[in-house]
Amino acid sequence: MKIIAALLLLILAISLAQAVTVTSVNIENLAPGTEGEIRIEVENNLDETVSDVSLSLDFRNLPLIPIGSSSDSFDELGENDNGFFTFRLRASNSITPGDYQIPYTLTFVQDNVQKTKQSSIGVTIRAQPLISFSVDTETPVINSEGKINLKIINKGLADARFVSVK
């Protein structure tokens, strides 16, 4: 009985491991207000060709905007073949640098049955602080007490943290 249960678990694990899956994601560096490209590779691990392979990215509730379409497809993907989806996107001007999850839906037809997988890919928005300063003096007279105003300004798109002034 234990051997049968172990075999069933092994068969289930193998069948779940074999599918059309996302194998890699390449993203150009993105900063607030810039455009970039996402290239997503999918692989058919099945022992047969699948058809109507499509990938849709869900940008709802994200400060990322697709340029063109947010979905793409191709007719078929052969056994152990790879396919690539390429999307252009723009990070909004007001996006906060950090990590974002873009949900996706991958669909394909296997044996005349449509299969759907949902997951997400990670995107990092990067920006640098750009620190500048100005110095202003009040009553700058030698040998007298005065006041110096130092303004430190971050003109960059990222927060400046752990700043020290000498």
Side-chain angles (χ1 to χ4, degrees):
M1 187 69 170
K2 288 182 181 181
I3 294 174
I4 294 173
L7 284 174
L8 286 175
L9 270 171
L10 181 61
I11 291 170
L12 180 63
I14 289 172
S15 67
L16 289 176
Q18 292 185 345
V20 178
T21 58
V22 171
T23 56
S24 71
V25 177
N26 294 313
I27 302 174
E28 294 177 358
N29 287 334
L30 286 173
T34 64
E35 292 181 12
E37 188 174 271
I38 298 179
R39 183 175 164 103
I40 301 170
E41 180 180 13
V42 295
E43 182 178 5
N44 179 2
N45 295 318
L46 298 166
D47 294 332
E48 62 186 285
T49 297
V50 295
S51 60
D52 299 327
V53 181
S54 69
L55 183 71
S56 296
L57 303 179
D58 183 1
F59 290 100
R60 287 178 293 179
N61 303 317
L62 291 173
L64 299 164
I65 302 113
I67 298 173
S69 181
S70 62
S71 63
D72 195 9
S73 64
F74 43 86
D75 292 335
E76 63 181 34
L77 188 61
E79 174 184 343
N80 295 316
D81 278 348
N82 294 355
F84 296 91
F85 295 99
T86 303
F87 301 94
R88 296 228 21 105
L89 68 124
R90 181 177 190 280
S92 74
N93 292 332
S94 60
I95 193 170
T96 302
D99 296 325
Y100 292 87
Q101 295 271 339
I102 302 174
Y104 70 81
T105 302
L106 175 64
T107 61
F108 57 94
V109 175
Q110 176 189 10
D111 298 326
N112 295 323
V113 176
Q114 182 171 327
K115 309 263 177 131
T116 301
K117 292 181 166 221
Q118 294 182 324
S119 190
S120 63
I121 58 173
V123 175
T124 299
I125 306 299
R126 291 185 169 85
Q128 296 293 321
L130 178 60
I131 305 297
S132 65
F133 67 92
S134 67
V135 178
D136 184 21
T137 60
E138 292 179 15
T139 62
V141 178
I142 296 175
N143 293 327
S144 68
E145 200 172 290
K147 187 175 181 182
I148 297 175
N149 295 317
L150 174 63
K151 288 185 182 178
I152 300 173
I153 303 153
N154 179 7
K155 294 181 180 179
L157 299 173
D159 292 339
R161 298 181 182 181
F162 308 111
V163 176
S164 63
V165 178
K166 290 184 181 183

